[in-house]
Amino acid sequence: MQTESKSPLELEQCLKCSICTAVCPVMNNTDAYPGPKQCGPDAERYRMKDIRFFDESALKKCLNCKRCEVACPHGVKVAELIQTARRDMSQHGPGLREIMLANTDIMGSLATLVAPIANFATGLQLSKEVLHATVGIDHRRTFPKYAGTKFETWYHRHAAQNQGQFKHQVAYFHGCYVNFNYPKLGQDLVHVMNAFGYGVQLLEKEKCCGVALMANNMYNQAKKQGQVNIDSMRKALQGGVETIVTTSSSCTLNMREDYPTMLGIDQKDVKEHLGLAVRFISRLLDEGNVKLVWKEGFKKHVCYHTACHMARLGWNVYTLNILRQIPGLELDILEQNCCGISGTYGFKKENYELSQKIGSTLFNDIEATNAEAVVTECETCKWQIEMSTSLPVINPISLLAEALDLEATQKANIR
Amino acid sequence: MKYNTVIIGGGLTGLVSGIQLQEQGQRVCIISFGQTLLHFSSGSFSGEESNTDVQALLKNAGIATVAGGYRLTPLGELRPAALTLEGYYHSETAELKEKSFAIVRLPKYLGLPIEFLQDTLTAQGREVSIITPDEVVGCPAEVILVPACKAGYDLKKTYGKRVSLIAALPPSIPGQHIHAKLQQYFQKIGGTYINGDKVVRSTLQTDEKGVRVQSVETQNLGDELIVADHYILASGSFQSEGLQSNYDHVWEPVFGVDTNAPEDRTAWTALDFFEDQPYQHIGVLTDEAGHALVEGRPVSNLYPAGHILGALRTDIQNLNDALRIAKNL
Ligand code: SF4
Ligand code: SF4
């Protein structure tokens, strides 16, 4: 007799409590989306029988924020049910816009070459109108700025040669965003890890993790890139690095959780050594293995936003553990709400208004704190929040770099 | 990660004991898997008698309540309630004191059986009308009822005391509010709340002094050992997976705490659906001091609380227990 209930993505565990519908940011802001319960476990039973029950226009509305999965009391993989249905049943290939938005690394490489022009051009109302009309990227959106020098270039010029002096080594998966748009975060990571006595290596080959490709239904390409990343990580681990750290919550969730299930990449051996730097650092602090020297008189008031994918990872506990140890830091923890951007979703013109509406609760909460900055691990949240509120957004690693006396900390740790 | 107390379960019981402990100066971590039974809340806390300590704790967290009296069910009956959220229809006696009622029908909203409610109130000799949101202004009825859904809460914001909320179908907005408020407050006073994560392993240690919990591990945190002096098990009943069952037995999945489930499976349910269902009385076993029993032996630092002791316990029973356990740690 079978005594356990088994079904793909825990579909049969659904007890129809509709709790997931209460937390779905899309459903709560538009009548046009039937919601996680209906699009996930409910419709899946029909889709299994007949592809005609696959309603792409509805499923496309899902942000894949995974808040439904976090809320489900019975472990149903609601968002994954929706995304696998899109992967397996969609008859439409991606259009030019999807290809542009999803290839964050190619777009980044091109833009970096001509960064001042690219920033100027994407900031220009005229080119925004052109993008809006031709490919459907909303003209009201602010584009992330491209940095003139890639993080990788900075690393090879200014950091690589100093890393050998450290006894411990970690590898860093920086992601497209750090490389092209925000090298400062990568630099902060290197400085903080160095201060703790850890050298930072880059992977032999790093590709975009593929999260945007997957959201735009380009699974084959995502799989190829994912395989390159996992192979490089494996090699780095064999070469003696202690762990692989990251700074982006979405890349991390994607590589840890979705690579095996959505792309069929076997990464079990790598997974346990791959994680956000905040996790690694929080554990170092708990074990008492590093000494910290804080900047004299540091004072700052921040609010912490748990990005959707950070919530799904469940690792905000590590960030909060670190932040709570910073003297002089006033910390407000925001109620968990989606910012509405969800990677490339909010860039599409048909989603712009909904995206802003979803984010409005969070934006109001942020303004109400009167904080100086928002802290979060997600880069697309950063774009969205900076565009929609008056506050700058920083990664916890950058905040740590700001609060620590890096030189003194490094002296204390390398002796 | 080291804490004074780890609480498994982030529902009403878990959060309230967490807040109490954190306020007593402990370092507390709550691990919660999925949303809780609060999502079915009626806006009242069930039970006969309220407790001023509980009411004060809720108030600190920003949840204002009225003690005692009766709540109005969506079917139009008055039921005793220990505490009711401010803003909800509430009666001090077992009879409706007002003579005239109006019920607001919200466009496209089906979560309240309006005609049924009208009938039952009429049967109690009341004058009852059904109105649209625009008719609230100038409505002569003594009481104007709006369903406690999102749009209903918006109306409440606009009209304040002039309208009273009444519970509607889940997912419950008042429950979400209570949960969010308690969770925010717990974190604000320094508590750690791990959301959407499941305890997948526990390590018990046995020595001459007896059995105690050494650590627990969760799905998302992997090989991270979560260590505490005390553990409160507030993971709920079957619906929240605090208890699990298959065709031949019932078990508590985290620590393997003993249960009072009858061995004979047929004894779990009564054939008549409307009868008292025995499975709702299934719960984990404790010794007299409240320690969990595992294979008949008390675990010296593990305290079950809330619905895991039985699904029919009232909110107030659970809350009182949560406070009592917390105060003794
Ligand atoms: S929360 Fe989970 S169990 Fe409840 S309806 Fe949604 S998928 Fe089903
Ligand atoms: S992933 Fe997010 S947007 Fe999609 S159904 Fe779940 S809660 Fe809604």
Side-chain angles (χ1 to χ4, degrees):
Chain A
M1 183 171 72
Q2 182 185 331
T3 54
E4 257 178 80
S5 162
K6 292 183 202 131
S7 55
L9 302 173
E10 309 299 343
L11 154 74
E12 298 290 347
Q13 291 301 314
C14 175
L15 77 160
K16 311 298 171 203
C17 68
S18 72
I19 282 173
C20 51
T21 62
V23 299
C24 174
V26 180
M27 194 182 175
N28 283 317
N29 285 287
T30 171
D31 291 338
Y33 183 55
K37 171 174 163 287
Q38 216 191 92
C39 294
D42 287 3
E44 184 68 11
R45 289 161 169 254
Y46 292 94
R47 291 193 292 254
M48 283 164 111
K49 294 199 177 103
D50 192 331
I51 193 167
R52 277 179 303 169
F53 291 106
F54 170 66
D55 179 358
E56 184 160 25
S57 62
L59 301 199
K60 255 166 69 176
K61 289 243 148 23
C62 167
L63 296 165
N64 198 22
C65 69
K66 301 188 193 272
R67 295 217 178 254
C68 46
E69 289 182 5
V70 175
C72 175
H74 273 222
V76 181
K77 300 284 176 283
V78 194
E80 223 169 300
L81 279 164
I82 296 172
Q83 296 308 319
T84 42
R86 287 187 61 200
R87 179 191 66 189
D88 299 339
M89 296 181 186
S90 173
Q91 310 290 328
H92 298 107
L96 174 62
R97 173 185 70 181
E98 281 68 26
I99 295 173
M100 278 178 68
L101 286 172
N103 280 287
T104 44
D105 49 355
I106 299 175
M107 289 303 286
S109 297
L110 288 173
T112 308
L113 289 175
V114 289
I117 309 172
N119 289 336
F120 178 67
T122 49
L124 222 58
Q125 204 50 38
L126 179 68
S127 37
K128 286 188 179 181
E129 295 304 340
V130 171
L131 285 173
H132 185 95
T134 53
V135 286
I137 295 173
D138 198 278
H139 59 129
R140 283 159 292 186
R141 201 151 275 294
T142 331
F143 275 82
K145 291 247 177 301
Y146 287 104
T149 314
K150 288 195 291 184
F151 168 69
E152 283 175 358
T153 315
W154 173 86
Y155 175 85
H156 291 299
R157 276 194 208 143
H158 302 289
Q161 63 278 15
N162 309 328
Q163 301 306 309
Q165 60 174 307
F166 298 98
K167 197 166 96 212
H168 304 284
Q169 295 290 329
V170 299
Y172 176 37
F173 180 95
H174 48 72
C176 305
Y177 163 75
V178 162
N179 205 21
F180 301 115
N181 305 112
Y182 201 48
K184 167 146 190 318
L185 170 55
Q187 293 163 11
D188 288 339
L189 185 274
V190 174
H191 294 145
V192 168
M193 291 313 294
N194 286 175
F196 291 161
Y198 285 79
V200 177
Q201 305 292 328
L202 299 191
L203 296 172
E204 192 183 279
K205 275 193 200 134
E206 181 185 313
K207 295 273 184 195
C208 167
C209 78
V211 66
L213 290 167
M214 290 152 76
N216 289 287
N217 234 335
M218 288 175 247
Y219 283 93
N220 289 337
Q221 195 188 339
K223 180 166 183 172
K224 278 193 210 124
Q225 297 185 185
Q227 198 60 56
V228 172
N229 288 333
I230 294 299
D231 290 345
S232 306
M233 289 178 191
R234 198 171 278 133
K235 207 163 158 198
L237 289 165
Q238 283 159 358
V241 305
E242 287 178 24
T243 191
I244 295 145
V245 295
T246 58
T247 39
S248 155
S249 45
S250 291
C251 306
T252 311
L253 179 70
N254 189 35
M255 296 190 292
R256 279 180 57 99
E257 307 299 332
D258 291 348
Y259 270 15
T261 51
M262 301 294 293
L263 299 178
I265 296 174
D266 179 14
Q267 37 72 298
K268 266 194 247 55
D269 53 327
V270 172
K271 181 178 170 182
E272 52 190 298
H273 303 287
L274 164 64
L276 281 166
V278 284
R279 179 180 205 227
F280 187 72
I281 292 170
S282 167
R283 295 176 86 165
L284 283 180
L285 299 186
D286 277 0
E287 286 154 13
N289 285 342
V290 286
K291 297 188 186 68
L292 306 171
V293 186
W294 303 104
K295 261 187 207 140
E296 213 47 66
F298 176 81
K299 253 198 158 29
K300 198 161 185 147
H301 179 191
V302 299
C303 55
Y304 178 70
H305 162 58
T306 312
C308 295
H309 288 170
M310 193 66 182
R312 177 68 179 81
L313 271 172
W315 287 0
N316 43 347
V317 41
Y318 292 120
T319 304
L320 293 173
N321 182 32
I322 297 172
L323 297 187
R324 281 179 166 154
Q325 299 186 34
I326 302 179
L329 186 78
E330 188 183 340
L331 172 68
D332 290 325
I333 302 169
L334 296 162
E335 205 181 302
Q336 293 199 11
N337 279 303
C338 179
C339 76
I341 182 95
S342 187
T344 58
Y345 184 95
F347 277 87
K348 301 178 181 172
K349 70 178 172 194
E350 68 274 23
N351 295 338
Y352 179 85
E353 262 153 38
L354 178 59
S355 164
Q356 295 310 106
K357 194 169 163 205
I358 290 173
S360 60
T361 315
L362 177 70
F363 307 150
N364 292 338
D365 287 356
I366 288 174
E367 299 287 3
T369 61
N370 282 320
E372 295 158 65
V374 181
V375 177
T376 195
E377 287 83 356
C378 174
E379 51 264 42
T380 56
C381 294
K382 175 178 159 78
W383 301 339
Q384 172 78 337
I385 295 171
E386 287 186 339
M387 184 188 98
S388 314
T389 72
S390 59
L391 273 67
V393 179
I394 50 175
N395 186 286
I397 298 296
S398 294
L399 182 60
L400 198 54
E402 201 181 317
L404 280 172
D405 182 335
L406 290 166
E407 245 173 73
T409 304
Q410 182 158 342
K411 275 206 198 101
N413 286 307
I414 320 179
R415 245 184 307 175
Chain B
M1 297 197 286
K2 282 205 178 64
Y3 298 94
N4 297 115
T5 299
V6 162
I7 300 168
I8 298 154
L12 189 60
T13 308
L15 275 165
V16 164
S17 45
I19 289 171
Q20 176 64 29
L21 283 165
Q22 195 71 37
E23 281 184 337
Q24 285 167 212
Q26 289 207 9
R27 235 171 87 82
V28 183
C29 173
I30 296 179
I31 306 168
S32 171
F33 178 63
Q35 290 304 346
T36 74
L37 223 57
L38 272 173
H39 280 254
F40 298 88
S41 163
S42 62
S44 292
F45 296 98
S46 63
E48 301 288 321
E49 223 164 279
S50 73
N51 171 323
T52 46
D53 285 358
V54 169
Q55 200 177 9
L57 183 146
L58 293 172
K59 184 134 194 262
N60 283 341
I63 303 164
T65 53
V66 186
Y70 295 77
R71 71 182 172 95
L72 184 62
T73 72
L75 302 183
E77 287 163 8
L78 285 175
R79 290 267 173 79
L83 294 169
T84 299
L85 294 185
E86 266 180 15
Y88 278 70
Y89 181 80
H90 173 263
S91 170
E92 263 125 53
T93 60
E95 267 211 37
L96 300 168
K97 61 176 176 296
E98 299 84 357
K99 294 272 171 301
S100 59
F101 289 76
I103 311 167
V104 177
R105 191 197 300 280
L106 295 163
K108 285 200 275 183
Y109 182 72
L110 300 172
L112 183 71
I114 290 184
E115 279 74 16
F116 196 101
L117 178 60
Q118 184 182 30
D119 285 353
T120 38
L121 293 179
T122 311
Q124 293 169 59
R126 300 300 183 271
E127 197 184 297
V128 190
S129 57
I130 296 177
I131 61 172
T132 67
D134 297 335
E135 289 164 354
V136 170
V137 181
C139 171
E142 286 169 82
V143 180
I144 303 177
L145 297 170
V146 290
C149 61
K150 227 172 144 214
Y153 264 76
D154 289 345
L155 274 188
K156 177 80 192 158
K157 245 197 215 138
T158 314
Y159 295 111
K161 288 213 161 93
R162 187 64 192 100
V163 299
S164 305
L165 293 158
I166 177 167
L169 275 186
S172 154
I173 305 280
Q176 286 172 51
H177 279 300
I178 297 170
H179 192 253
K181 283 260 158 62
L182 291 173
Q183 192 185 335
Q184 285 298 105
Y185 184 67
F186 173 68
Q187 294 194 98
K188 195 172 151 209
I189 58 175
T192 299
Y193 192 92
I194 300 181
N195 200 8
D197 200 359
K198 192 177 202 166
V199 176
V200 286
R201 199 168 308 119
S202 63
T203 310
L204 299 185
Q205 175 196 29
T206 312
D207 56 25
E208 62 287 350
K209 278 186 265 159
V211 192
R212 54 183 282 119
V213 182
Q214 210 167 35
S215 63
V216 293
E217 288 155 71
T218 74
Q219 206 159 41
N220 288 340
L221 302 183
D223 59 357
E224 183 82 57
L225 290 183
I226 304 175
V227 181
D229 306 327
H230 310 286
Y231 296 81
I232 296 176
L233 183 61
S235 48
S237 184
F238 294 102
Q239 185 171 346
S240 307
E241 296 197 344
L243 292 174
Q244 290 185 1
S245 67
N246 62 15
Y247 294 115
D248 50 45
H249 72 298
V250 172
W251 70 95
E252 185 282 305
V254 179
F255 300 99
V257 183
D258 300 340
T259 75
N260 63 358
E263 250 176 55
D264 175 13
R265 193 206 181 289
T266 56
W268 296 354
T269 43
L271 276 183
D272 180 350
F273 182 80
F274 292 101
E275 254 180 58
D276 182 27
Q277 292 291 335
Y279 72 86
Q280 299 217 301
H281 298 274
I282 295 179
V284 295
L285 297 174
T286 65
D287 69 5
E288 270 174 24
H291 302 111
L293 294 176
V294 174
E295 287 168 9
R297 300 174 54 180
V299 182
S300 62
N301 62 346
L302 177 61
Y303 307 86
H307 282 131
I308 195 162
L309 295 165
L312 294 180
R313 292 162 53 88
T314 64
D315 293 333
I316 284 298
Q317 272 178 311
N318 289 337
L319 290 171
N320 286 342
D321 276 7
L323 286 190
R324 189 177 40 77
I325 291 174
K327 283 179 181 165
N328 285 327
L329 290 187

